[in-house]
């Protein structure tokens, strides 16, 4: 009887994850286009401009692009306290604000070397 309960629980839990053992994460069709003032959010026509709090930036990008990766601060100006990456896009933050971005085609604001 115990074996049946354990087996049923195991099968129920395995149904919640992909065959590789990690949760499946769906990405949306939202595109973040870096520009001179921050990020244009298409196709919804919203913006995430420089100066915005990380609390207003990180959840939106994590939700739409997947979980960010924290990068080293080597080569960063002393005012930069976080450097976070989503695929090709890297955003930099000071203690309270979004201050820069970089990707394979360019950079704007305060970024790291």
């Amino acid at each position: 009887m115990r074996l049946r309960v354990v087996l049923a629980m195991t099968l129920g839990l395995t149904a919640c994850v992909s065959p590789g053992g990690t949760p499946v994460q769906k990405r949306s069709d939202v595109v973040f286009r870096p520009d001179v003032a921050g990020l244009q959010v298409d196709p919804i026509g919203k913006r995430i401009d420089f100066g915005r709090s990380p609390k207003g930036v990180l959840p939106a990008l994590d939700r739409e692009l997947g979980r960010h990766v924290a990068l080293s601060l080597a080569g960063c100006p002393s005012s930069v306290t976080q450097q976070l990456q989503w695929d090709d896009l890297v955003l930099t933050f000071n203690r309270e604000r979004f201050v820069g971005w970089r990707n394979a085609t360019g950079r704007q604001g305060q970024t790291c070397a």
Side-chain angles (χ1 to χ4, degrees):
M1 181 66 157
R2 280 177 117 180
L3 181 59
R4 286 184 191 175
V5 171
V6 170
L7 184 58
M9 289 175 63
T10 304
L11 289 174
L13 290 175
T14 18
C16 298
V17 295
S18 68
T22 56
V24 176
Q25 183 163 0
K26 182 183 178 299
R27 291 185 174 200
S28 77
D29 294 328
V30 171
V31 177
F32 296 90
R33 298 187 192 284
D35 61 27
V36 296
L39 303 171
Q40 172 68 32
V41 184
D42 290 329
I44 59 176
K46 300 283 184 179
R47 295 202 47 83
I48 299 175
D49 287 329
F50 293 138
R52 188 154 183 189
S53 168
K55 292 177 184 177
V57 177
L58 301 181
L61 270 76
D62 282 348
R63 180 181 59 245
E64 301 299 335
L65 301 178
R67 182 83 174 129
H68 65 270
V69 174
L71 301 178
S72 162
L73 295 177
C76 294
S78 61
S79 60
V80 171
T81 59
Q82 290 186 87
Q83 179 177 217
L84 307 175
Q85 180 177 18
W86 293 263
D87 298 324
D88 179 45
L89 180 63
V90 176
L91 302 186
T92 48
F93 299 85
N94 67 22
R95 234 176 237 277
E96 300 173 357
R97 306 283 176 228
F98 166 41
V99 296
W101 63 262
R102 69 180 163 87
N103 63 17
T105 61
R107 61 181 60 226
Q108 191 68 42
Q110 295 177 11
T111 61
C112 305

